[in-house]
Amino acid sequence: MKRIYMDHAATTPTDVEVVKTMEPYFSLKYGNPNSIHFFGQEARETVEEAREKIAHLIEANSSEIVFTAGGTEADNYAIKGIAWANQKKGNHIITSKIEHHAVLHSCQFLEKQGFKVTYLPVDKYGLIDPEDVKKAITDKTILVTIMHANNEIGTIEPIKEIGKVVKDAGVYFHTDSVQTAGHIPIDVNDLGVDMLSMSGHKFYGPNGVGALYLRKRTRIVNLIDGGSQEKNRRAGTENVVGIVGMGKAAELAKERLTQGKEKGIVKLRDKLIQGIMNKIENVRLNGHPTKRLPGNANFCFEFIEGESMLLSLDMEGVAASSGSACTSGSLTASHVLLAIGLPPEIAHGSLRLTLGKDNSEEEVDYMIGILPGIIKKLRALSPFKENWEGLK
Amino acid sequence: MGMYSDKVMDHFKNPHNVGEIKDADGIGEVGNPVCGDIMKIYIKVKDDKIIDCKFKTFGCGAAIATSSMITEMVKGKDIDEALKISNKAVAEALGGLPPIKMHCSNLAADGLSKAIEDYKQKSKIKK
């Protein structure tokens, strides 16, 4: 059977070249980078090279990169670290309703500690208005944290414009860049961010490693205490193998971006979106038509539920994702789809297809070919037809 | 996908008794759109025996499979006997369901009970 992977926003395959680069660091060059001897120094050098590559990907200085165990830790570190370090200055944080749970739940945790959080609304495309950020800033605001692009609907936020507003107010600005790093060009100075979270496995690196870009002179406290690794900012023996892999992945991503390779993915994505919108009725595209991640396509098919779509696609060899209650692991539909104004019954019918660098046009054609039949079959089971007739 | 038993997947792939019964003697609807599961169970009754049962379901794999399963379980049963079928029994007949699905999507027996209630109400009015 065919095996087609269209869930690259969940995780990407680790690039073969990345794996090759990592291999020697398991059993040959296994030193602890903090050791004085040559095993240690060999590892230290490699870690610093990887740091350079990651800094280069986002046009930062390598001294501003702190390695973490992933994107979630980077988000936690940025948000809690800034809040705790600056609580004498103020107790107000601004974020949005469509952030990843790593950000939302960090903010909710801080609320329990007495911090005040503003959750900004988004428009029907999932866009945050920089004006809303400006209006929400008070003299108590210490941090604004807004994602670079949304993981579900793919909308790319106006980070640069928000960055200007935040800088004018003299407030720290963090962006969760887990979905954009390695996928679209990033320049931290152009964006005007003080902190930026990244995750290795989202751009063909390994799992279990991420990084936080931390602008010089940012006032932050540590999340993980212990040894003096990462210049006393993140304790724990460095995940050398992971860091090497993430560094190589960053190098390869930078090469692809320099060559404009993401444009090819945009082309495939648009073909997928057009094909599905043309062939199926009662479907809507979620997210912005153009301000969206190169590989992201997200739809709602009315009158049916997401998990049943995923099961049907799985049987046809296609791996996809959805924002329905069943797949969100909670009892409600995705908070992102509800925030863009979709009623729950429609949000449950969402399907997210995220393309990667190795998806072919043939795979996109196959998907456009099989989906109408799957939707038709599931709709035949549904008690709803046009206009959700009979919905209480 | 691995999360469901083979039996659940069988019913999901080839659901039994899909559809509406135009002159149904009882109709039961359970679930709500917020949770993403709505089941509609239709029954045809003769001499207090269920002679036909169909369903229409908006929901996940478990919701579809349990709906399909119950239509199979009740055909030919007396209504009192049918009322004794629990949601748990439906899940067991399917070889079990993932724990998270036991609450949200395992409502077929409730749907059937509602259809039988509806039938009882209607037949009272007739008498």
Side-chain angles (χ1 to χ4, degrees), chain A residues 50-105:
Chain A
R51 202 187 303 277
E52 293 274 348
K53 286 171 184 167
I54 290 158
H56 186 49
L57 178 67
I58 58 169
E59 306 296 335
N61 194 303
S62 67
S63 65
E64 297 170 310
I65 301 294
V66 182
F67 286 112
T68 65
T72 291
E73 187 194 318
D75 286 339
N76 273 263
Y77 176 27
I79 294 166
K80 293 172 186 171
I82 289 289
W84 290 330
N86 297 277
Q87 49 189 328
K88 276 195 184 131
K89 207 178 137 207
N91 68 343
H92 182 228
I93 295 164
I94 298 168
T95 186
S96 85
K97 287 186 176 168
I98 62 163
E99 298 297 312
H100 189 274
H101 285 130
V103 168
L104 283 181
H105 291 169

